Amino acid sequence: MKKKFIFLNGTFIPAEKAIIPIQTHGFQYGTWCFGGIRAYYSQKDNCLYAFRMKEHYERLKKSAHVLYIEIPYSIEELCILTQTLLQKNYTKHDVYIRPFAYKSDLSLISFNLPTLQNGFGVFTLPLGRFTSKPEGIRANISSWTRISDNSIPPRAKIMGSYVNTALAKTESHIGGYDEAIFLDKNGHVLEGSAENIFIVLDNTIYTPPSYDDILQGITRSTISELVQKELGLMVKEQSMNRTQLYQADEVFLVGTGAEVLPVIQIDGRNIGNGRIGDITKQIQKIYTALVRGEIKAYSSWLTKVQK
Ligand code: PMP
């Protein structure tokens, strides 16, 4: 089997040698942050296309800033080292890229972030489709409130905050749903467990505003741009309540992992006619073609990696 590499603290090392000590602050206290990037295999062009790598690294640097973690590379260097890693681990398969920046200090008693040492790594793994439900998914409104900017900032993609995600997702699974939708403490709809949310109502598209407690998704910004440019529809950033989801014509979730995920039922209520809506279908089609390099107008979002 082909050897797999991981980038860790300055070097590419075989995956089995990429080991982090058990006492590491990030592991003990969740003081890490991360990114998630997809690279798509194009059979036609015989290459991988990494999607919006630059924007993902810009966000990662901003996440790290909140935790006083300095990533010792420029955005350009991060993109280049990721390209090298993709080449080393090249597969003719869609790939998920996971960069992470962490408090590598072995002190268990200090919580003074600026004084703690930092680490940085990237690994890749094969990743196919997020769900096996092409007919759309069934979601519930989570009973777990989303973390907020003044507790653990959701904007910063902090590892420890994914406990909130895990609790919500587990509740969904136990209840027989596919996905959880978070509300904030005022009852405003925020996002899915790891996806941003859009609703369609009377040919207008709505999404919670960026000043709410949501992650500023790269897919969210991609979809907002596509909806306006390709479909000529308006996207309004507006807070919404759960009933607005029940009454929407269409609901879909978007994220790097999930891509464009139609939601056909929420809390047992059909969304629209309970089938994937036309606008969602069109967006899915455009997004799928675009990430594989099939729409030239958006090729600046793609980084080509060839063996
Ligand atoms: N919200 C949360 C909480 C997430 O974890 C993710 C996945 N990164 C998203 C939204 C979607 O973000 P992106 O489109 O940048 O992957």
Side-chain angles (χ1 to χ4, degrees), residues 17-41:
K17 298 217 165 112
I19 291 167
I20 290 179
I22 210 95
Q23 254 178 268
T24 302
H25 203 276
F27 180 67
Q28 291 295 332
Y29 297 118
T31 45
W32 329 38
C33 56
F34 68 103
I37 310 168
R38 263 191 191 267
Y40 289 88
Y41 177 65

Side-chain angles (χ1 to χ4, degrees), residues 270-282:
N270 278 352
I271 303 303
N273 61 9
R275 280 189 240 116
I276 305 179
D278 284 345
I279 291 175
T280 308
K281 257 189 221 157
Q282 288 179 63

Side-chain angles (χ1 to χ4, degrees), residues 3-20 81 84-85 88-89 100 102 120-124:
K3 215 179 184 75
K4 240 186 125 189
F5 286 88
I6 288 182
F7 180 85
L8 189 62
N9 295 325
T11 44
F12 294 96
I13 50 177
E16 68 277 9
K17 298 217 165 112
I19 291 167
I20 290 179
L81 74 84
T84 308
L85 186 66
K88 283 181 179 290
N89 293 341
F100 55 96
Y102 66 107
F120 174 78
V122 190
F123 63 89
T124 65

Side-chain angles (χ1 to χ4, degrees), residues 25 31 65-70 102-119:
H25 203 276
T31 45
H65 182 64
V66 175
L67 289 178
Y68 286 90
I69 297 175
E70 191 165 345
Y102 66 107
K103 283 297 176 194
S104 59
D105 216 278
L106 302 184
S107 164
L108 284 187
I109 52 166
S110 174
F111 287 95
N112 186 6
L113 292 170
T115 65
L116 300 174
Q117 286 174 7
N118 303 316

Side-chain angles (χ1 to χ4, degrees), residues 29-76:
Y29 297 118
T31 45
W32 329 38
C33 56
F34 68 103
I37 310 168
R38 263 191 191 267
Y40 289 88
Y41 177 65
S42 162
Q43 204 161 16
K44 189 169 134 276
D45 301 339
N46 193 25
C47 68
L48 289 170
Y49 284 120
F51 187 61
R52 302 198 78 173
M53 201 151 59
K54 179 170 160 280
E55 290 83 349
H56 278 281
Y57 277 124
E58 281 166 356
R59 185 177 67 195
L60 182 65
K61 282 213 161 206
K62 286 187 177 160
S63 294
H65 182 64
V66 175
L67 289 178
Y68 286 90
I69 297 175
E70 191 165 345
I71 301 176
Y73 308 102
S74 65
I75 302 292
E76 203 194 343

